[in-house]
Amino acid sequence: FDGCISMLEYLLYQYKDVANPANFCKRMMTQPDEHPEVKKARLALEAVNARIQEYEAEKARLTELAEKPGVKGLGAKNQLAQLDSSPLMEELNRALITAEAAVRRVKKKFKNGGGGGGEEEDQGRSQGAMWWMDKDLEMKKKLYGRRKK
């Protein structure tokens, strides 16, 4: 109502017979659940996200403490320096390796269109899910994976 229209609004209005958003939502809600292997890989990535949140919370806490003067600040600086070799980072690396293996297994299973119960639509959805999981895992490995010394 502001006199401006976005390209997406224009396209939805122009092609409302072909691309009705309500029909799209109904179709997505009636689709069967994703393949169990894809769901397992997605859960492994969620475990990585939980470990990353723990790591970042600890890093933020230590960074805040490191700004304080005195013994507490120096101790926090030392702990912050040792955070990359802490058990928290080891758990994060373990979760990353597990997620990478799960994503690799799913990619191998759906690479040639195999697996997914023989339905083309299910395989297409799995391909899209695999692409997103692969990109997400690649970014997390770049940020939190083991660094070569």
Side-chain angles (χ1 to χ4, degrees), residues 92-132:
L92 175 59
N93 283 329
R94 188 177 304 117
L96 270 172
I97 291 168
T98 305
E100 183 180 10
V103 169
R104 193 178 329 120
R105 191 175 326 117
V106 168
K107 281 175 60 176
K108 185 177 180 182
K109 186 169 188 166
F110 287 100
K111 184 176 183 180
N112 296 326
E119 297 178 8
E120 285 294 323
E121 192 171 312
D122 186 34
Q123 292 172 9
R125 288 191 315 134
S126 296
Q127 291 290 337
M130 286 186 307
W131 187 86
W132 281 109

Side-chain angles (χ1 to χ4, degrees), residues 37 66 82 140:
E37 292 287 328
Q82 294 176 3
K140 287 178 172 93

Side-chain angles (χ1 to χ4, degrees), residues 61-111:
R61 184 186 72 80
L62 290 175
T63 302
E64 185 179 314
L65 282 176
E67 293 174 357
K68 293 184 178 180
V71 176
K72 284 189 177 185
L74 292 175
K77 284 181 187 177
N78 184 22
Q79 287 180 346
L80 191 59
Q82 294 176 3
L83 190 61
D84 285 338
S85 62
S86 70
L88 194 60
M89 190 60 165
E90 289 176 11
E91 289 176 11
L92 175 59
N93 283 329
R94 188 177 304 117
L96 270 172
I97 291 168
T98 305
E100 183 180 10
V103 169
R104 193 178 329 120
R105 191 175 326 117
V106 168
K107 281 175 60 176
K108 185 177 180 182
K109 186 169 188 166
F110 287 100
K111 184 176 183 180

